[in-house]
């Protein structure tokens, strides 16, 4: 995870600040999401937060299974919020997802 464009370097620096203990495989996946075209116009910190919460929600929780069971998006997000926050804490993050809305607290 060295070299690359200025944006890629800025993203890696911001990722280390946001998630100092994130496992390498998760860091790489989050960076890939954060550097995707649809997030390109956002500042690195916002792009990384969106990529981080998306990665955790879809890859490390039962969010998609809840959707498949018929829960709506808001309900499924509510039910996985605490699990997401636990992952964020384990990775050394000082932000959390809200139980009411996806915003940092």
């Amino acid at each position: 995870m060295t070299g690359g464009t200025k944006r890629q370097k800025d993203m890696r620096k911001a990722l280390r600040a946001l998630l100092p203990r994130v496992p390498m495989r998760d860091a790489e996946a989050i960076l890939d999401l954060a550097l995707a075209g649809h997030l390109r116009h956002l500042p690195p910190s916002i792009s990384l937060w969106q990529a981080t919460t998306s990665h955790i929600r879809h890859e490390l929780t039962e969010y998609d299974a809840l959707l498949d069971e018929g829960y709506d998006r808001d309900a499924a997000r509510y039910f996985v919020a605490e699990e997401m926050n636990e992952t964020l804490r384990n990775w050394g993050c000082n932000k959390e997802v809200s139980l009411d809305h996806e915003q940092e607290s």
Side-chain angles (χ1 to χ4, degrees), residues 18-105:
L18 179 66
L19 307 169
R21 296 190 304 265
V22 64
M24 182 63 76
R25 77 172 179 281
D26 294 301
E28 290 172 350
I30 290 167
L31 280 173
D32 287 345
L33 286 171
L35 291 166
H38 69 285
L39 297 177
R40 182 177 40 227
H41 67 286
L42 298 172
S45 61
I46 295 171
S47 181
L48 276 171
W49 181 247
Q50 289 187 352
T52 298
T53 57
S54 179
H55 174 74
I56 293 172
R57 180 181 303 112
H58 292 285
E59 301 299 326
L60 304 176
T61 72
E62 296 297 318
Y63 176 77
D64 292 317
L66 291 170
L67 294 178
D68 291 344
E69 291 175 15
Y71 287 89
D72 68 34
R73 190 178 77 138
D74 289 337
R77 285 181 179 211
Y78 176 83
F79 287 120
V80 301
E82 187 51 42
E83 184 178 3
M84 291 177 67
N85 287 332
E86 182 177 337
T87 298
L88 289 165
R89 285 189 295 273
N90 289 339
W91 290 352
C93 185
N94 63 4
K95 288 179 149 184
E96 293 187 342
V97 294
S98 168
L99 292 176
D100 296 323
H101 304 290
E102 172 127 4
Q103 298 174 359
E104 69 257 25
S105 52

